Amino acid sequence: MSTSPPPPNGASATAARAGGRALALVGIVLVAVNLRTAVAALSPIFTQISVDVPVDSVGVGLLGTLPPLCFAVFGLLAPVLKRHLRLETLLIAALCAILIGHLARGLAPNYAVLALASVLTFAGMGVANVVLPPVVKKYFPASIGTLTSMYVTIMALFSLIPPLVAVPIADSLGWRVSVSMWAALAAVAIIPWLTLWMRDRRATSAAARAATAAAAPAASESPFDAELLPEVSPTLVGQVWRSRLAWSMGLLFGATSLNVYAAFAWLPEILIDIAGVSPAQAGILLSLYAGMGIPFSLLVPILASRMRSVAPLIALGFVCFAAGYAGLLLAPAALPWLWVALVGAGPLTFPLVLVLVGLRSRTPEGTVALSGFTQGIGYALGALGPLVVGVLHELSGGWTAPLAFLLLTLAVVGLAGRVVARPRMLEDDWHRSSPNRAD
């Protein structure tokens, strides 16, 4: 006697679909919580860490460049190396890497292990960065702007928490606990994706059994299609590299990242030297800088998803950047909080580009390819920000040249933004660049 369950009827399939989306929503929130915790978990407690693991200024600088470098490398590699995995499987692997990396950083006996564990942690974050846009498009195709707004805002919020709690926890429980405790968040984030993965496995097995006794259309009913991370073939990768839209999005994301990472590395020292603020005030102003991103992370994706052209948003980011840098160059001590707030509002182009990954592509393959390319190129450029600003400061002995350099990078924002602002699709570039190709 067969005990195989019958195919789900319409009501049960709808309920299963709703339950799957609820799990996916929780999973997206928890992944976003984990995507920036490691970035600022070390810098506030290097004094305590150096007692057990000697870290000089060069070592600190290297650890500071690891996040954007790893985001770039693994953003570019993720679609190619993991093309045969389901989205859920890829997220589970990324979260496991983050979890193990947090624990290994907390247990590190020397600098080499600390650095390698950091690479593992940021590699997981880099992969998850790329996978989240297609995950949102898979589970919530009608709410890309809202969901992107939500997870980018959560990322911004949780980038503020580690610096606030790192020192008190290190003082009371030790730096190893302060560094490794973030693994608990990664462990919790794995649960909904593991549940969805197991549901897909069961649905696929049931469909395979049903296919032997029923027509093919009835065999595929499941809460969600057992979707793989769409294959990004070498030909498709080449097409993305020849796309004007993809390059413009990568450059816009890169110029934004360059300015953000430069600010996080150098803004307090700049303000102390040219605005005459105290170190404590500089720390508060850096928090103001970071906090400016939260309302824009919430609003920009929603606005972008409802606008035919996003040119006004790009123009707003450009003007805020330019006004803030101009104030720091011409009258730094007059209204330092205003200049910092303006510079902090400039990176509204960061959540804008993330939501455009889904809005500027028609196919799942295009979304994955555009996500990997944009973030790979963008974070690679972002890694140059702290380095170039530091070199210019060393050579010039002041902050005029570094600030002028950051002001000049806004030309990239303007030029790339003109291309990105127009409503066009990545796949249109493919057809234009290969009009006679069948692929």
Side-chain angles (χ1 to χ4, degrees):
M1 178 182 295
S2 173
T3 58
S4 298
N9 58 33
S12 62
T14 301
R17 220 173 259 114
R21 287 196 178 92
L23 268 177
L25 179 60
V26 173
I28 289 168
V29 169
L30 291 174
V31 171
V33 164
N34 281 274
L35 287 187
R36 293 297 180 269
T37 51
V39 174
L42 293 181
S43 55
I45 54 174
F46 271 130
T47 301
Q48 292 98 317
I49 293 173
S50 62
V51 174
D52 297 324
V53 180
V55 184
D56 58 17
S57 58
V58 175
V60 172
L62 176 60
L63 290 173
T65 19
L66 284 179
L69 283 176
C70 289
F71 294 166
V73 171
F74 289 94
L76 289 170
L77 291 180
V80 177
L81 298 180
K82 302 294 184 182
R83 69 181 92 166
H84 298 300
L85 295 177
R86 297 177 184 180
L87 293 170
E88 295 81 5
T89 306
L90 196 54
L91 272 182
I92 291 169
L95 289 166
C96 286
I98 295 170
L99 187 156
I100 296 170
H102 280 309
L103 293 176
R105 295 205 317 169
L107 297 172
N110 53 52
Y111 179 81
V113 174
L114 182 64
L116 289 174
S118 295
V119 169
L120 179 62
T121 307
F122 297 132
M125 293 179 178
V127 171
N129 281 337
V130 173
V131 175
L132 265 189
V135 164
V136 168
K137 191 162 189 172
K138 173 184 176 180
Y139 286 96
F140 303 96
S143 306
I144 293 174
T146 301
L147 267 293
T148 303
S149 169
M150 178 195 70
Y151 85 70
V152 173
T153 301
I154 291 169
M155 286 167 56
L157 285 170
F158 275 82
S159 69
L160 298 177
I161 293 175
L164 295 176
V165 303
V167 174
I169 292 176
D171 288 342
S172 59
L173 299 175
W175 72 266
R176 295 187 185 277
V177 173
S178 180
V179 170
S180 62
M181 67 180 183
W182 305 106
L185 292 177
V188 172
I190 291 172
I191 296 172
W193 297 111
L194 188 59
T195 304
L196 285 168
W197 178 83
M198 290 188 295
R199 282 188 178 189
D200 270 353
R201 288 287 295 246
R202 288 195 296 268
T204 302
S205 298
R209 290 194 300 268
T212 63
S220 61
E221 292 191 31
S222 65
F224 290 93
D225 291 335
E227 183 173 326
L228 301 177
L229 182 65
E231 182 170 347
V232 183
S233 66
T235 300
L236 192 150
V237 171
Q239 290 174 324
V240 174
W241 279 83
R242 293 190 295 271
S243 165
R244 187 183 181 195
L245 173 63
W247 271 106
S248 297
M249 288 185 61
L251 291 173
L252 180 58
F253 194 82
T256 303
S257 298
L258 185 151
N259 281 272
V260 168
Y261 282 101
F264 274 114
W266 293 108
L267 187 58
E269 190 168 342
I270 292 173
L271 293 170
I272 291 169
D273 288 350
I274 69 175
V277 304
S278 68
Q281 291 171 327
I284 294 172
L285 288 170
L286 183 61
S287 295
L288 171 63
Y289 172 85
M292 288 299 297
I294 295 174
F296 289 108
S297 297
L298 183 63
L299 294 174
V300 166
I302 297 174
L303 293 174
S305 65
R306 299 175 181 176
M307 299 171 69
R308 177 169 173 79
S309 171
V310 296
L313 295 176
I314 295 173
L316 177 60
F318 181 96
V319 169
C320 288
F321 265 135
Y325 287 139
L328 288 174
L329 280 167
L330 301 176
L335 294 168
W337 61 270
L338 177 59
W339 313 139
V340 169
L342 287 169
V343 175
L348 66 87
T349 45
F350 176 82
L352 175 63
V353 173
L354 288 180
V355 73
L356 288 178
V357 167
L359 297 176
R360 292 290 188 264
S361 54
R362 289 195 177 96
T363 63
E365 296 84 357
T367 303
V368 173
L370 187 57
S371 179
F373 183 88
T374 298
Q375 297 192 53
I377 295 297
Y379 283 121
L381 292 175
L384 297 175
L387 177 63
V388 174
V389 169
V391 169
L392 289 175
H393 175 60
E394 186 72 20
L395 293 175
S396 67
W399 293 109
T400 299
L403 288 171
F405 162 73
L406 293 175
L407 193 57
L408 287 175
T409 64
L410 301 186
V412 178
V413 173
L415 293 173
R418 291 185 62 184
V419 177
V420 171
R422 294 195 291 270
R424 59 191 297 177
M425 293 292 178
L426 175 70
E427 290 81 0
D428 296 340
D429 279 0
W430 294 353
H431 297 312
R432 277 194 290 268
S433 62
S434 304
N436 299 318
R437 295 177 65 103
D439 52 23

